[in-house]
Amino acid sequence: MACIFCQIIERTIPADVVHEDDDLIVFKDINPKGAIHVLLVPKTHIATVNDLEIHHIPVMGHMFEVVQQLAATWDIVEQGYRLTVNVGRGGGQEVDHIHMHMVSGWMRRP
Ligand code: AMP
């Protein structure tokens, strides 16, 4: 299995998982861009936004439900946070398994 996020879902490589349910896994980014930086990843392997189909709408909607839950848990609703979905190499996507970045608390550059 080549996909690194599928391997995290299958628990064949480790990750710092902060949420998991039947359809979605959320884990900390290994190279965080903020004090909070997690990746929300559907358990179904969908390569990019370009590959989304109508039957994927529920899981993509569920992603936003989980974002709201995590924002409340981490008390960043008022402060705010950034959600990013990179698409394709030109869009900065490195891992070809659709995912949303959730980032808050930007770190100062040295
Ligand atoms: P993207 O550039 O949108 O495809 O984002 C991929 C993200 O996955 C990057 O921010 C990486 O730091 C992160 N990443 C890659 N491998 C791992 C891993 N094994 N565990 C956690 N995050 C990872």
Side-chain angles (χ1 to χ4, degrees), residues 28-95:
K28 293 183 182 177
D29 196 294
I30 205 167
N31 182 23
K33 303 293 192 295
I36 292 172
H37 186 170
V38 296
L39 303 172
L40 296 100
V41 183
K43 288 187 170 177
T44 300
H45 183 92
I46 306 161
T48 82
V49 166
N50 294 320
D51 301 293
L52 283 172
E53 298 177 8
I54 199 87
H55 63 275
H56 297 132
I57 287 174
V59 70
M60 298 308 289
H62 179 52
M63 205 181 263
F64 287 97
E65 288 182 318
V66 173
V67 164
Q68 289 183 337
Q69 291 168 14
L70 293 173
T73 298
W74 294 329
D75 197 21
I76 56 171
V77 173
E78 297 302 323
Q79 171 188 320
Y81 48 91
R82 176 172 291 187
L83 301 175
T84 308
V85 180
N86 296 323
V87 185
R89 294 293 174 270
Q93 184 175 6
E94 297 172 0
V95 178

